[in-house]
Amino acid sequence: MSDELQRIMAIDDPYLLLREVTTRLADAQQEVTELARLRRRVVQDLHAQGLSYAQIAAKAGLSRGRIHQIRHTGPAPEGAFLGRGAVTVATPLRRDDERGRTVVAVDDVSSGKRLEDLARLYGLDVTSEHVPVSGEIDLNRDGLVVVCGPRMSQEMWETYGQDPVLRWERAEDGPWTVVDRRTGAVHRSGQDSDPARPYDVGYLGRLSRPDGSGSLLAIAGIHTQGSLGVVQLLANDLNALWGQVGDRRFSTLVGVEYDPETSEPQSVELLCPLYRHDEDTSA
């Protein structure tokens, strides 16, 4: 019996006991899910290296059938791309100056909801919150997925500023762009071009937290359609993204052709490689 379980069982107050047991059960379930994810990942990695299930079973002291079962059941390893155990999806609130009230953009709601559904699909516990109009948000937390561009939050502006390759900046005529410092390419939204067209650019990156004790997943479009495109990329290609960067720090850009009536992505493509930041610090 663990010390933690003994501590809980010794609580006399029934309400405190109920609260502690409920919290501990939730934590334990998250731990079980992540252990199962890790176990499946190890088997997949060994099998990809050329070992048969029988060889893995013999070395691990398990049956071949058990190894085969582990390989094909349980939470998929690529779910760790989004977080471990639990994630918080944060989307921005906006200020409607004409009506003097706080609103949410429909596309931001869609991006947040789809991210939440995707995370649950991979066995993660999900909570949601908003980045307030002030832009103030505590980024020093585990499991954050933040859908918010640099112009809406000083904290996010500083976080995006860590990126050694991709830089947000305003063009001389005013619109936001993203500059690839590796190639010199300047990526601009079709909405801000002449003539305008239904095309946007989305940013996806895993960036360091301000306290340096972890990372967060950052998603932003030059306009809201770019964020929707990034979410579609995650939904369609999470396994490939995980295979390329795992849980390391990186960033990339996505080009999104969308339906001008609904903002729904019609095609999504990477505009640059997935830049690993541990390889591009001198960019």
Side-chain angles (χ1 to χ4, degrees):
M1 186 180 299
S2 69
D3 292 342
E4 177 66 5
L5 180 56
Q6 290 183 12
R7 180 191 69 80
I8 292 173
M9 293 180 65
I11 295 174
D12 292 329
D13 184 330
Y15 302 106
L16 176 58
L17 176 60
L18 180 60
R19 185 166 63 247
E20 288 283 332
V21 169
T22 301
T23 299
R24 180 57 186 145
L25 280 171
D27 291 343
Q29 184 56 56
Q30 288 182 10
E31 185 174 326
V32 167
T33 298
E34 291 309 312
L35 286 171
R37 193 190 312 280
L38 178 59
R39 182 176 62 176
R40 181 174 173 182
R41 175 185 171 186
V42 171
V43 171
Q44 288 186 189
D45 288 348
L46 291 172
H47 190 56
Q49 293 170 20
L51 276 72
S52 69
Y53 294 139
Q55 289 172 318
I56 298 170
K59 290 180 177 295
L62 299 170
S63 70
R64 183 186 182 283
R66 184 63 174 138
I67 293 298
H68 188 273
Q69 180 187 42
I70 291 170
R71 170 63 179 83
H72 294 284
T73 60
E78 60 265 28
F81 186 93
L82 302 172
R84 300 184 187 279
V87 299
T88 299
V89 177
T91 53
L93 295 175
R94 301 170 185 267
R95 180 69 178 173
D96 184 338
D97 292 327
E98 291 186 5
R99 300 183 181 181
R101 65 181 185 180
T102 299
V103 298
V104 292
V106 172
D107 292 347
D108 290 335
V109 172
S110 296
S111 291
K113 178 65 167 57
R114 292 171 191 181
L115 283 168
E116 292 171 28
D117 290 344
L118 182 63
R120 291 191 182 98
L121 181 66
Y122 284 96
L124 297 164
D125 290 341
V126 183
T127 57
S128 63
E129 65 179 53
H130 290 299
V131 180
V133 174
S134 67
E136 296 177 357
I137 178 173
D138 177 12
L139 300 178
N140 295 322
R141 294 175 285 163
D142 293 334
L144 270 180
V145 181
V146 184
V147 184
C148 182
R151 69 182 179 86
M152 302 187 68
S153 166
Q154 181 64 29
E155 284 85 351
M156 288 305 296
W157 167 258
E158 293 171 358
T159 300
Y160 284 116
Q162 305 169 15
D163 192 317
V165 187
L166 302 174
R167 180 177 67 233
W168 290 84
E169 62 179 48
R170 285 189 178 276
E172 291 184 358
D173 57 343
W176 282 94
T177 64
V178 186
V179 178
D180 186 329
R181 288 185 276 190
R182 172 62 64 85
T183 65
V186 178
H187 298 276
R188 185 182 181 110
S189 174
Q191 294 184 40
D192 304 320
S193 302
D194 188 14
R197 64 188 180 100
Y199 172 83
D200 201 30
V201 176
Y203 175 104
L204 169 65
R206 181 174 293 109
L207 305 172
S208 294
R209 292 173 8 185
D211 64 2
S213 297
S215 62
L216 59 92
L217 202 63
I219 296 170
I222 293 179
H223 298 286
T224 55
Q225 293 88 351
S227 298
L228 279 171
V230 171
V231 174
Q232 179 162 308
L233 176 76
L234 291 171
N236 293 342
D237 298 320
L238 194 64
N239 185 50
L241 294 170
W242 170 255
Q244 292 186 62
V245 297
D247 56 6
R248 294 180 290 273
R249 287 161 180 73
F250 78 97
S251 58
T252 192
L253 295 177
V254 174
V256 186
E257 300 279 355
Y258 60 88
D259 185 324
E261 298 297 325
T262 65
S263 291
E264 284 297 314
Q266 295 182 318
S267 67
V268 176
E269 64 174 352
L270 288 176
L271 298 177
C272 63
L274 274 68
Y275 289 123
R276 287 260 305 274
H277 292 177
D278 55 357
E279 297 175 348
D280 289 291
T281 54
S282 61

